[in-house]
Amino acid sequence: MTDISTDILVVGGGAAGLSAASEAASCGARVLVVESDLQLGGQLVKQTHKFFGSKDEYAGTRGYKIAGILLDEIEECGRGVEVLTNATVTGYYAEDKTFTVMRGEDSYSRIKARRAIIATGASERLIPFPNNDLPGVYGAGAVQTLMNVYGVTPGRRVLMVGAGNIGLIVSYQLMQAGVEVAAVVEAMPRIGGYWVHAAKIRRLGVPILLKHSIKEALGGRVVEGAVITELDDKFNPTGQERSVDCDVICLAVGLSPTTEILSHAGCKMRYVPELCGSVAERDRTMRTSNPDFWSAGDAMGIEEASAAMVEGRIAGLCAANSLGLPAKMEKLDEYWARLDHLRAGEVGEKIRSGIVKVSRGGWEACCNE
Amino acid sequence: MSESESLFNSGILTDERPGAIRPPCDKWKAKKSGLVIVECPQRIPCNPCATSCPTGAILPFEDINDTPVIDYEKCTGCAICVAVCPGLACFVVDLSFGKDKALYKLPYEMLPLPSKGDSVTCLGRSGEALAKGTVEAVIEPKRDKTYVIHVSAPKEFANDIRAIKVGG
């Protein structure tokens, strides 16, 4: 067991965590990023499509290239940012403000940090249906990892479940990899993702079946097909069923914020459906009710990576400021203006209504301690 | 829910809407190198079409969620927006290309990449095969793996051809 100490511990090296680390280090903080994966970058490294947003959020740049830009920024911080990959934070002990971290399979360390920024992202949801344990049933994240990180196609013909942005984008990526997409089924009467993402796969001939869902996977040892069913307005099966020829069933039915450490640290949590799960109450600086803890990105509510990067910058800036470091706090207004823009449209309405429920003004006073 | 509404809700444009307006016919026919057609009918936080337009033909957004509005006087059909749009929602159609044929400048990110002179299948908004087209040019304006394929195909599909299928 080794002991490590740092000013600011950033848990999670994805879009939010890397932005937070870079921002905090640029204020002069010593930052340690702990990432459970073998490499930094989080979900960004799997995103081969061009991002939306404005120039400030690298609009028009492919996600994996944005990961490269953020990694360059981290590199420029020199010794300001230390990184542990293949390392998982397993707990927080409030009595000595110590985190435990498992490195690889069998080595443990203790990390003492004056501040923590939790940027743990999200985990995929799955839905129950008969045979959903057959090989060939994947989460969309796994399909992306296979294809876009390791260069392996998951199969020959895919049934995509869910027409949110992930379902639509992964369908497109599957086609780019030469995999056929049999159909996208979506329980709601409209696609949940951006309309243009749907149009992109529609014009390549992929059916998007609204008010449809998967009833069961078919097959003995592996997926050999699926039965899909039409749903009525109350999401009950209408009895209209058909079978789909496929060897992969890809589930893109939503994400849940990963918040165990925040709960462990006693941060006030609240279940907010609009943010897709139980999330921490936060003030304008992304600080939680535990004054040593900030959080950003999907851990604070499921949203686009563009917003996660801005939230990360806010958390990094404000956590550094709380240590008495020379943080340019006037940037806070600029960052909030960017977030407000990103959330202004009809797609941002859900996020806005969710964030109102967990935003608290009360902790701002302790921001300049 | 009407059939056209449900089609639209699944990603198929069924009529003109803000952010998805056709160019005015007379201007379109006369314009050398064509005019842009944007099919972006949803308010989403995204503005590269406007910020990358070299002539300001896609008017600057007041709010990043605005849908694109086009000044056709300024559009030169350069197709920079076709290459830049993250949603692949910009197209240029040049009706001045030939007597019966128009030149379609379409975004393309699939494999295989076609070559000049290849015959390809031109697809409509639901992937239906509308016509055979001939590849006139393959351009990668931003060197970022989004290609703009220039395809000549019958003019009558100016409002319909939005993608190509290579091979098969």
Side-chain angles (χ1 to χ4, degrees):
Chain A
M1 180 89 83
T2 52
D3 288 287
I4 304 169
S5 77
T6 186
D7 287 340
I8 298 177
L9 170 67
V10 176
V11 184
L18 292 179
S19 303
S22 154
E23 188 81 16
S26 74
C27 302
R30 284 185 311 134
V31 181
L32 173 67
V33 179
V34 174
E35 166 57 50
S36 62
D37 207 334
L38 299 177
Q39 58 174 345
L40 292 174
Q43 299 304 302
L44 285 176
V45 302
K46 310 179 199 172
Q47 308 310 324
T48 52
H49 65 287
K50 290 180 180 176
F51 273 41
F52 292 68
S54 75
K55 272 190 187 140
D56 287 334
E57 293 86 34
Y58 315 106
T61 306
R62 298 185 193 283
Y64 72 95
K65 296 268 186 192
I66 298 174
I69 293 169
L70 291 177
L71 292 175
D72 287 347
E73 251 189 68
I74 295 291
E75 191 76 26
E76 276 168 33
C77 296
R79 295 181 62 188
V81 180
E82 302 281 338
V83 175
L84 290 181
T85 51
N86 194 18
T88 304
V89 170
T90 53
Y92 174 66
Y93 296 85
E95 55 276 26
D96 14 68
K97 297 193 174 180
T98 295
F99 295 83
T100 49
V101 54
M102 188 171 93
R103 301 169 70 177
E105 295 292 318
D106 47 23
S107 159
Y108 282 85
S109 295
R110 275 184 296 249
I111 299 173
K112 223 170 167 81
R114 296 167 70 197
R115 302 285 187 267
I117 300 173
I118 307 305
T120 38
S123 54
E124 284 189 277
R125 291 184 185 167
L126 299 175
I127 48 171
F129 51 87
N131 292 329
N132 75 349
D133 58 344
L134 281 178
V137 180
Y138 288 86
V143 165
Q144 275 194 314
T145 305
L146 269 180
M147 284 195 304
N148 301 346
V149 180
Y150 297 111
V152 175
T153 54
R156 167 186 62 83
R157 197 163 194 263
V158 175
L159 172 70
M160 182 65 66
V161 182
N165 271 335
I166 295 179
L168 298 172
I169 288 168
V170 175
S171 294
Y172 184 72
Q173 293 176 355
L174 280 160
M175 300 173 82
Q176 288 179 304
V179 179
E180 205 181 329
V181 179
V184 179
V185 289
E186 167 58 54
M188 301 295 286
R190 60 179 50 80
I191 49 159
Y194 291 165
W195 187 90
V196 287
H197 281 315
K200 246 162 60 170
I201 60 169
R202 290 294 258 150
R203 71 174 81 104
L204 297 176
V206 175
I208 297 180
L209 306 171
L210 303 173
K211 301 173 80 172
H212 276 75
S213 190
I214 184 165
K215 188 188 168 214
E216 63 179 314
L218 302 174
R221 287 177 51 248
V222 294
V223 170
E224 289 164 11
V227 178
I228 59 172
T229 174
E230 189 187 48
L231 303 174
D232 65 17
D233 292 339
K234 295 191 169 109
F235 303 105
N236 294 313
T238 61
Q240 287 282 352
E241 294 178 2
R242 70 179 110 158
S243 61
V244 176
D245 168 34
C246 60
D247 60 350
V248 172
I249 295 166
C250 183
L251 301 178
V253 291
L255 302 167
S256 298
T258 302
T259 57
E260 287 87 348
I261 305 172
L262 293 164
S263 297
H264 206 169
C267 304
K268 269 190 202 154
M269 306 296 289
R270 192 174 159 141
Y271 181 78
V272 182
E274 294 90 338
L275 301 178
C276 305
S278 182
V279 292
E281 295 186 357
R282 78 289 307 262
D283 66 8
R284 204 165 164 268
T285 74
M286 301 309 293
R287 195 180 219 168
T288 68
S289 67
N290 181 328
D292 294 329
F293 279 73
W294 279 254
S295 181
D298 274 358
M300 283 298 232
I302 305 304
E303 216 179 332
E304 295 297 314
S306 45
M309 289 186 276
V310 185
E311 282 192 350
R313 302 229 170 253
I314 292 175
L317 178 78
C318 297
N321 184 61
S322 79
L323 291 169
L325 294 164
K328 295 196 180 85
M329 288 303 282
E330 62 274 17
K331 284 204 276 187
L332 188 55
D333 285 338
E334 179 207 318
Y335 288 150
W336 269 101
R338 271 157 66 175
L339 276 180
D340 289 342
H341 276 299
L342 289 173
R343 292 167 176 162
E346 60 186 63
V347 192
E349 198 179 307
K350 200 175 91 170
I351 302 290
R352 292 199 302 276
S353 62
I355 284 174
V356 167
K357 296 183 182 172
V358 277
S359 291
R360 299 289 178 266
W363 306 313
E364 257 176 288
C366 46
C367 175
N368 291 309
E369 68 203 23
Chain B
M1 196 162 53
S2 75
E3 182 153 348
S4 104
E5 195 185 346
S6 119
L7 264 181
F8 179 78
N9 286 346
S10 75
I12 292 182
L13 194 67
T14 47
D15 48 16
E16 288 189 287
R17 306 173 172 245
I21 306 281
R22 290 176 194 164
C25 221
D26 45 338
K27 273 198 190 108
W28 195 6
K29 279 180 188 158
K31 190 82 174 196
K32 286 265 172 222
S33 337
L35 288 174
V36 67
I37 301 151
V38 184
E39 299 191 352
C40 185
Q42 182 187 34
R43 288 174 57 79
I44 55 173
C46 187
N47 66 11
C49 60
T51 58
S52 70
C53 179
T55 63
I58 300 183
L59 301 181
F61 291 9
E62 273 174 34
D63 175 332
I64 191 174
N65 291 278
D66 286 349
T67 53
V69 178
I70 293 130
D71 178 348
Y72 295 103
E73 293 298 331
K74 290 184 179 163
C75 179
T76 63
C78 72
I80 293 291
C81 55
V82 178
V84 164
C85 171
L88 306 194
C90 299
F91 317 87
V92 168
V93 179
D94 176 4
L95 296 175
S96 77
F97 179 77
K99 188 164 158 284
D100 306 314
K101 292 200 168 164
L103 188 70
Y104 298 80
K105 303 178 188 176
L106 307 170
Y108 186 79
E109 295 185 331
M110 293 286 153
L111 291 170
L113 194 64
S115 306
K116 190 177 169 182
D118 285 358
S119 172
V120 295
T121 307
C122 298
L123 308 175
R125 294 187 185 82
S126 55
E128 73 278 24
L130 293 172
K132 282 284 175 196
T134 305
V135 174
E136 304 290 343
V138 177
I139 298 163
E140 189 189 5
K142 293 289 171 183
R143 297 264 165 260
D144 66 353
K145 298 196 163 74
T146 301
Y147 291 86
V148 178
I149 312 286
H150 293 202
V151 180
S152 58
K155 246 180 215 184
E156 59 191 284
F157 299 113
N159 287 317
D160 302 306
I161 289 175
R162 293 295 176 264
I164 53 163
K165 185 171 190 271
V166 179

